[in-house]
Structures are given as C-alpha cells and as structure tokens.
Amino acid sequence: MRFSTAAAAVLPVLAASVSAQTNFQVQIGANQGLTFDPPTVTAAVGDTISFLFMAKNHTVTQSSFAAPCQSLAGGIDSGFQPVAAGATSVPSLTVTVNQTTPLWFYCKQTGHCEKGMVFAVNPTAAKSFAMFQGAANTSDPTSGAPASSAAASATSGAASGTSSGSTPSASASGTSTPNGAARTAASGAILAVAGLAAGLLL
Ligand SMILES: *[C@@H]1O[C@H](CO)[C@@H](O)[C@H](O)[C@H]1NC(C)=O
Ligand SMILES: *[C@@H]1O[C@H](CO)[C@@H](O)[C@H](O)[C@H]1NC(C)=O
Ligand SMILES: *[C@@H]1O[C@H](CO)[C@@H](O)[C@H](O)[C@H]1NC(C)=O
Ligand SMILES: [Cu+2]
C-alpha cells in the first residue's frame, strides 16, 4: 500500500512527456543563400514549424513530390516576404504538421526552386529529399514539373498541411530579429507559439 502514493506521483510526469510537441525553426535565405536551413525536418502530428524569412525575397510554398516547383492547389503559401538589407526584424510563418506522410515545399521566386531551394517534412527512402531536389533542378520553369519522368510516379494526394493561421500578408509587422531575441508573428495563431520559438532560436 505504501507504494501507491509514489506511483501516482510519477504518472503526471509520464503524461506530460508523451504530449510534448516540438517547434522546429527553419531559416529561409540565411546568409543571402537560396536555402532552407535545415532542408528537412522529421515531425510528428501536432509539431510546429516556424519559417523565418532571413533575407531577400522568398516564399515557402507547398508543392508535391511529382512537381516540386509547382504550387499545390489549396496548399500552404506564405506569399513573397521581402526583407530589406539590414532589417532588424523579419517575417515568419508557423505551420502545424497534421500528418506523418511527407509534405513538400519550395520557394516560388523566379529560378530559386530550379536552383534547389526546396524543403521537405518527413521525406522517406522511397521519396527522399535528394530525389525531390534533383527533380526540382530539372524542372521545366514554365510548368514546375520535372522535365524527365524520373519522379513522375509519385502520388501527391495526401501531401498537405494545415496552416496555423491565415496566410500572412507581406505588410504584417514582425518584430523578429535575425538573432531571435524576440518576435511577433503575422497572425494570432503564430503568436501562440512565439514564446517557445524565441527560446529555441537562441
Ligand atoms: C518580391 O518578388 C516578387 C516576385 O518576383 C515581386 O513581384 C515583388 O515586387 C518583390 N518584392 C520586393 C519588395 O522586391
Ligand atoms: C541544376 O544544378 C546544377 C548543378 O548545381 C546547376 O549548374 C544548374 O544551373 C541547375 N539547373 C538550374 C535550372 O538551375
Ligand atoms: C492536413 O490538412 C489538410 C488541409 O487542411 C487536409 O486537407 C488534410 O486532409 C489533412 N491531413 C490529415 C492527415 O488530416
Ligand atoms: Cu527564394
């Protein structure tokens, strides 16, 4: 009987660890590069991904494995997020992952996708990031679809995500600093995770 008190005390700790969710930070265009950094994340349902637009004029736009540089109808699209040189705040977009099957993204600024500016959530051996980026490189700029049929066997029906808020407008007043001291995001939904995100960014 004396053990029952100890056992009860442990349970809330286990429950808390099971429900813990991760906020991933992905920098877009850091150091003036045509990059998502990191280029992939492995995320669980309920995890969030905060995209930080570090420089220049990029987007994070959902596509499909079959057509890496073509926007997916109804998919996530940040729109263009220009950042002035020397800016002390940068825009951000946070999305919530709603599936463990892969999600595919690119930057829709002219030429960037074809130069490899792509991003993936939960890529697999059969649909790898390297395959996706390779297909982006050979994309026909007029269609966004690969010029070869190498990646055309993929189906993309399940590749979609949920934006945690409305699509942010380019005029949103972000207060994020590139070094991550603090940030205010473009929508109320993003504000909800701003505290956690700022801590992890440091
Ligand atoms: C960002 O890029 C888009 C598409 O090329 C362009 O229409 C827009 O004017 C650019 N914004 C700025 C501030 O350069
Ligand atoms: C594809 O990648 C190669 C090697 O990195 C690069 O030289 C080429 O410009 C890329 N293709 C396009 C369309 O950007
Ligand atoms: C993820 O969200 C998208 C957009 O709301 C939805 O179409 C899709 O069915 C969702 N995926 C799952 C596995 O619920
Ligand atoms: Cu870009």
mmCIF file of all heavy atoms in Angstrom, residues 38-62:
data_model
loop_
_atom_site.group_PDB
_atom_site.id
_atom_site.type_symbol
_atom_site.label_atom_id
_atom_site.label_comp_id
_atom_site.label_asym_id
_atom_site.label_seq_id
_atom_site.Cartn_x
_atom_site.Cartn_y
_atom_site.Cartn_z
ATOM 1 N N PRO A 38 17.199 24.017 -41.501
ATOM 2 C CA PRO A 38 17.608 22.814 -42.227
ATOM 3 C C PRO A 38 16.693 22.554 -43.422
ATOM 4 O O PRO A 38 15.569 23.044 -43.433
ATOM 5 C CB PRO A 38 17.451 21.710 -41.170
ATOM 6 C CG PRO A 38 16.341 22.205 -40.292
ATOM 7 C CD PRO A 38 16.528 23.701 -40.215
ATOM 8 N N PRO A 39 17.157 21.735 -44.392
ATOM 9 C CA PRO A 39 16.342 21.464 -45.580
ATOM 10 C C PRO A 39 15.243 20.435 -45.360
ATOM 11 O O PRO A 39 14.335 20.331 -46.190
ATOM 12 C CB PRO A 39 17.359 20.951 -46.605
ATOM 13 C CG PRO A 39 18.469 20.393 -45.780
ATOM 14 C CD PRO A 39 18.527 21.219 -44.515
ATOM 15 N N THR A 40 15.322 19.692 -44.266
ATOM 16 C CA THR A 40 14.263 18.734 -43.943
ATOM 17 C C THR A 40 14.043 18.728 -42.437
ATOM 18 O O THR A 40 14.958 19.056 -41.666
ATOM 19 C CB THR A 40 14.627 17.283 -44.354
ATOM 20 O OG1 THR A 40 15.688 16.811 -43.506
ATOM 21 C CG2 THR A 40 15.066 17.200 -45.804
ATOM 22 N N VAL A 41 12.848 18.373 -42.027
ATOM 23 C CA VAL A 41 12.601 18.051 -40.622
ATOM 24 C C VAL A 41 11.755 16.784 -40.576
ATOM 25 O O VAL A 41 10.994 16.494 -41.498
ATOM 26 C CB VAL A 41 11.877 19.186 -39.838
ATOM 27 C CG1 VAL A 41 12.694 20.470 -39.863
ATOM 28 C CG2 VAL A 41 10.485 19.420 -40.363
ATOM 29 N N THR A 42 11.947 16.038 -39.505
ATOM 30 C CA THR A 42 11.117 14.865 -39.243
ATOM 31 C C THR A 42 10.208 15.238 -38.083
ATOM 32 O O THR A 42 10.675 15.465 -36.971
ATOM 33 C CB THR A 42 11.995 13.656 -38.892
ATOM 34 O OG1 THR A 42 12.848 13.380 -40.008
ATOM 35 C CG2 THR A 42 11.129 12.431 -38.606
ATOM 36 N N ALA A 43 8.925 15.343 -38.380
ATOM 37 C CA ALA A 43 7.987 15.917 -37.416
ATOM 38 C C ALA A 43 6.819 14.978 -37.157
ATOM 39 O O ALA A 43 6.429 14.198 -38.023
ATOM 40 C CB ALA A 43 7.467 17.255 -37.940
ATOM 41 N N ALA A 44 6.274 15.092 -35.963
ATOM 42 C CA ALA A 44 5.084 14.338 -35.583
ATOM 43 C C ALA A 44 3.848 15.221 -35.747
ATOM 44 O O ALA A 44 3.958 16.453 -35.815
ATOM 45 C CB ALA A 44 5.204 13.875 -34.131
ATOM 46 N N VAL A 45 2.699 14.578 -35.791
ATOM 47 C CA VAL A 45 1.453 15.348 -35.840
ATOM 48 C C VAL A 45 1.365 16.236 -34.600
ATOM 49 O O VAL A 45 1.607 15.782 -33.483
ATOM 50 C CB VAL A 45 0.247 14.391 -35.916
ATOM 51 C CG1 VAL A 45 -1.065 15.160 -35.762
ATOM 52 C CG2 VAL A 45 0.271 13.619 -37.223
ATOM 53 N N GLY A 46 1.063 17.494 -34.823
ATOM 54 C CA GLY A 46 0.977 18.451 -33.718
ATOM 55 C C GLY A 46 2.235 19.279 -33.537
ATOM 56 O O GLY A 46 2.188 20.334 -32.900
ATOM 57 N N ASP A 47 3.348 18.816 -34.070
ATOM 58 C CA ASP A 47 4.565 19.639 -34.042
ATOM 59 C C ASP A 47 4.349 20.883 -34.908
ATOM 60 O O ASP A 47 3.534 20.874 -35.839
ATOM 61 C CB ASP A 47 5.772 18.863 -34.592
ATOM 62 C CG ASP A 47 6.277 17.805 -33.619
ATOM 63 O OD1 ASP A 47 5.825 17.775 -32.455
ATOM 64 O OD2 ASP A 47 7.122 16.985 -34.044
ATOM 65 N N THR A 48 5.101 21.923 -34.621
ATOM 66 C CA THR A 48 5.000 23.141 -35.415
ATOM 67 C C THR A 48 6.342 23.452 -36.081
ATOM 68 O O THR A 48 7.396 23.061 -35.572
ATOM 69 C CB THR A 48 4.583 24.343 -34.551
ATOM 70 O OG1 THR A 48 5.459 24.440 -33.431
ATOM 71 C CG2 THR A 48 3.149 24.199 -34.073
ATOM 72 N N ILE A 49 6.259 24.123 -37.213
ATOM 73 C CA ILE A 49 7.458 24.558 -37.931
ATOM 74 C C ILE A 49 7.343 26.059 -38.138
ATOM 75 O O ILE A 49 6.388 26.541 -38.741
ATOM 76 C CB ILE A 49 7.579 23.859 -39.302
ATOM 77 C CG1 ILE A 49 7.589 22.339 -39.128
ATOM 78 C CG2 ILE A 49 8.852 24.328 -40.027
ATOM 79 C CD1 ILE A 49 7.495 21.574 -40.443
ATOM 80 N N SER A 50 8.319 26.780 -37.606
ATOM 81 C CA SER A 50 8.358 28.232 -37.792
ATOM 82 C C SER A 50 9.381 28.563 -38.869
ATOM 83 O O SER A 50 10.567 28.282 -38.715
ATOM 84 C CB SER A 50 8.736 28.934 -36.486
ATOM 85 O OG SER A 50 7.702 28.760 -35.538
ATOM 86 N N PHE A 51 8.894 29.126 -39.961
ATOM 87 C CA PHE A 51 9.767 29.561 -41.055
ATOM 88 C C PHE A 51 10.125 31.025 -40.813
ATOM 89 O O PHE A 51 9.236 31.870 -40.655
ATOM 90 C CB PHE A 51 9.047 29.424 -42.395
ATOM 91 C CG PHE A 51 8.710 28.005 -42.759
ATOM 92 C CD1 PHE A 51 7.445 27.493 -42.518
ATOM 93 C CD2 PHE A 51 9.658 27.169 -43.340
ATOM 94 C CE1 PHE A 51 7.124 26.183 -42.855
ATOM 95 C CE2 PHE A 51 9.349 25.859 -43.682
ATOM 96 C CZ PHE A 51 8.085 25.368 -43.441
ATOM 97 N N LEU A 52 11.415 31.316 -40.791
ATOM 98 C CA LEU A 52 11.894 32.684 -40.598
ATOM 99 C C LEU A 52 12.515 33.166 -41.899
ATOM 100 O O LEU A 52 13.465 32.559 -42.401
ATOM 101 C CB LEU A 52 12.932 32.730 -39.478
ATOM 102 C CG LEU A 52 12.484 32.214 -38.103
ATOM 103 C CD1 LEU A 52 13.613 32.353 -37.090
ATOM 104 C CD2 LEU A 52 11.260 32.965 -37.620
ATOM 105 N N PHE A 53 11.977 34.249 -42.433
ATOM 106 C CA PHE A 53 12.484 34.804 -43.696
ATOM 107 C C PHE A 53 13.631 35.748 -43.363
ATOM 108 O O PHE A 53 13.420 36.854 -42.882
ATOM 109 C CB PHE A 53 11.349 35.520 -44.435
ATOM 110 C CG PHE A 53 10.249 34.584 -44.861
ATOM 111 C CD1 PHE A 53 9.226 34.255 -43.990
ATOM 112 C CD2 PHE A 53 10.265 34.010 -46.121
ATOM 113 C CE1 PHE A 53 8.221 33.373 -44.373
ATOM 114 C CE2 PHE A 53 9.266 33.132 -46.525
ATOM 115 C CZ PHE A 53 8.243 32.815 -45.637
ATOM 116 N N MET A 54 14.870 35.286 -43.619
ATOM 117 C CA MET A 54 16.051 35.975 -43.108
ATOM 118 C C MET A 54 16.552 37.097 -44.010
ATOM 119 O O MET A 54 17.209 38.024 -43.531
ATOM 120 C CB MET A 54 17.190 34.972 -42.897
ATOM 121 C CG MET A 54 16.819 33.790 -41.999
ATOM 122 S SD MET A 54 16.234 34.274 -40.361
ATOM 123 C CE MET A 54 17.786 34.812 -39.641
ATOM 124 N N ALA A 55 16.314 36.990 -45.313
ATOM 125 C CA ALA A 55 16.882 37.974 -46.245
ATOM 126 C C ALA A 55 16.190 37.851 -47.596
ATOM 127 O O ALA A 55 15.463 36.900 -47.861
ATOM 128 C CB ALA A 55 18.387 37.743 -46.418
ATOM 129 N N LYS A 56 16.439 38.843 -48.430
ATOM 130 C CA LYS A 56 15.950 38.858 -49.808
ATOM 131 C C LYS A 56 14.430 38.739 -49.890
ATOM 132 O O LYS A 56 13.731 39.356 -49.076
ATOM 133 C CB LYS A 56 16.681 37.791 -50.633
ATOM 134 C CG LYS A 56 18.181 38.118 -50.763
ATOM 135 C CD LYS A 56 18.876 37.256 -51.795
ATOM 136 C CE LYS A 56 20.309 37.745 -52.016
ATOM 137 N NZ LYS A 56 21.071 36.864 -52.907
ATOM 138 N N ASN A 57 13.935 37.928 -50.799
ATOM 139 C CA ASN A 57 12.510 37.972 -51.139
ATOM 140 C C ASN A 57 12.064 36.573 -51.543
ATOM 141 O O ASN A 57 12.006 36.244 -52.720
ATOM 142 C CB ASN A 57 12.317 38.985 -52.288
ATOM 143 C CG ASN A 57 10.873 39.190 -52.673
ATOM 144 O OD1 ASN A 57 9.963 38.613 -52.071
ATOM 145 N ND2 ASN A 57 10.652 40.000 -53.703
ATOM 146 N N HIS A 58 11.776 35.762 -50.537
ATOM 147 C CA HIS A 58 11.488 34.349 -50.771
ATOM 148 C C HIS A 58 10.056 34.003 -50.376
ATOM 149 O O HIS A 58 9.330 34.833 -49.826
ATOM 150 C CB HIS A 58 12.453 33.477 -49.962
ATOM 151 C CG HIS A 58 13.902 33.694 -50.255
ATOM 152 N ND1 HIS A 58 14.489 33.333 -51.450
ATOM 153 C CD2 HIS A 58 14.901 34.241 -49.508
ATOM 154 C CE1 HIS A 58 15.789 33.635 -51.414
ATOM 155 N NE2 HIS A 58 16.056 34.190 -50.251
ATOM 156 N N THR A 59 9.686 32.758 -50.656
ATOM 157 C CA THR A 59 8.412 32.223 -50.177
ATOM 158 C C THR A 59 8.654 30.826 -49.621
ATOM 159 O O THR A 59 9.683 30.206 -49.913
ATOM 160 C CB THR A 59 7.352 32.076 -51.300
ATOM 161 O OG1 THR A 59 7.636 30.904 -52.101
ATOM 162 C CG2 THR A 59 7.305 33.307 -52.206
ATOM 163 N N VAL A 60 7.712 30.344 -48.850
ATOM 164 C CA VAL A 60 7.622 28.904 -48.605
ATOM 165 C C VAL A 60 6.249 28.507 -49.118
ATOM 166 O O VAL A 60 5.225 29.025 -48.666
ATOM 167 C CB VAL A 60 7.857 28.517 -47.128
ATOM 168 C CG1 VAL A 60 6.926 29.229 -46.167
ATOM 169 C CG2 VAL A 60 7.741 26.982 -46.982
ATOM 170 N N THR A 61 6.271 27.643 -50.139
ATOM 171 C CA THR A 61 5.067 27.320 -50.887
ATOM 172 C C THR A 61 4.968 25.810 -51.018
ATOM 173 O O THR A 61 5.945 25.147 -51.397
ATOM 174 C CB THR A 61 5.140 27.962 -52.291
ATOM 175 O OG1 THR A 61 5.300 29.378 -52.144
ATOM 176 C CG2 THR A 61 3.895 27.656 -53.108
ATOM 177 N N GLN A 62 3.798 25.271 -50.722
ATOM 178 C CA GLN A 62 3.638 23.816 -50.775
ATOM 179 C C GLN A 62 3.539 23.337 -52.219
ATOM 180 O O GLN A 62 2.890 23.975 -53.058
ATOM 181 C CB GLN A 62 2.384 23.407 -49.995
ATOM 182 C CG GLN A 62 2.287 21.915 -49.722
ATOM 183 C CD GLN A 62 1.129 21.579 -48.807
ATOM 184 O OE1 GLN A 62 0.490 22.467 -48.236
ATOM 185 N NE2 GLN A 62 0.858 20.297 -48.656
#
